Amino acid sequence: MSAAHPRLTAALRELKDRTGLSLAALAGRTAYSKSSWERYLNGKAMPPRQAVQALCRIAREPEGRLLALWDIAESQWSGRAADPRPAPPPGPEPGQPPPRPRTGAERSRLRGRALLVALASVYAVIAGGVALTLPALERTAAADQPRPASSGYVLAPRCHGAACEGRDPMRMVCAVDADTLTTYRTTTGAHVELRYSAGCGASWARMWGTRIGDRTHITVGGPAREARTVDEVDAQTYVYTQMTTAGPGSVVRSCFRPAAAGAPRECFHIRVGAAPAASRR
């Protein structure tokens, strides 16, 4: 599995949770089956680009950031990120005579083998088309049947309060019921959001539109939790801090530190329970 694929999977799960749709309802609004979405959202399969676009559209999420992450994840998943140049054919070893020309009979046999390979490829394409068509027909038939109101795919927070301290908000499924307390736009154009989950009793920060070396941290009177943009994958998607315990009335503080040497840090804060603030700056 590629390094970018788990991040893509986590981002898609967050979008799905934001929509409030069950897997069955999501399948009903897209061209992909319930079982396909289960594989995509559990990281068992690489979703098609069109599936990412469809989920972004339903969740009303600008698709640019997710598609950039999809491009990286798909190229690593498929192996296209490796050097695509073929290795040069090996030459004759020193002291060995050059290969002799093939006879007419040998050339005929090679052409026959090439024809068999071509026919096998055509058969594979036809079989693949049938395999793709059958699920579509099954979905069409299933559309006429009543769909269940809920799905067996259930996400619930996996920690609360002190048990969430220093934990990953995505792995602990705390984004399911998370609210955005405020969004801050920095002078460099990056965005920092302060997030809070009542179900987990914790808060964290996430940033995007960043540059390699940018950092942000969050604190609620206890230990500070920091996130750093370390590579191009981070720069093209969300970067999260670990969680810190928070509750109604807690003051959540964050500071953003640009990668540029000598650039001043930018700090802001908000109280849990206050009216959500619009993007600042």
Side-chain angles (χ1 to χ4, degrees), residues 55-185:
L55 184 53
C56 286
R57 183 179 63 255
I58 294 171
R60 297 182 179 179
E61 171 80 6
E63 64 182 33
R65 194 158 45 250
L66 268 295
L67 290 182
L69 180 58
W70 181 90
D71 286 337
I72 297 171
E74 195 280 332
S75 66
Q76 294 176 349
W77 179 282
S78 64
R80 290 189 297 106
D83 188 353
R85 294 173 296 179
E93 297 182 3
Q96 296 292 327
R100 62 176 178 81
R102 292 191 177 95
T103 65
E106 289 173 332
R107 287 195 297 271
S108 296
R109 284 196 298 271
L110 288 175
R111 283 195 296 269
R113 291 175 186 172
L115 179 59
L116 287 175
V117 171
L119 289 174
S121 300
V122 171
Y123 174 79
V125 170
I126 294 173
V130 172
L132 290 173
T133 303
L134 286 176
L137 293 175
E138 291 172 357
R139 288 196 298 272
T140 302
D144 297 330
Q145 302 298 322
R147 292 181 178 270
S150 61
S151 162
Y153 181 80
V154 178
L155 288 175
R158 298 171 57 188
C159 65
H160 182 81
C164 290
E165 188 70 48
R167 307 294 293 273
D168 186 316
M170 303 306 294
R171 292 184 181 275
M172 294 295 103
V173 201
C174 292
V176 171
D177 67 344
D179 295 316
T180 297
L181 300 177
T182 186
T183 303
Y184 180 88
R185 187 175 186 274

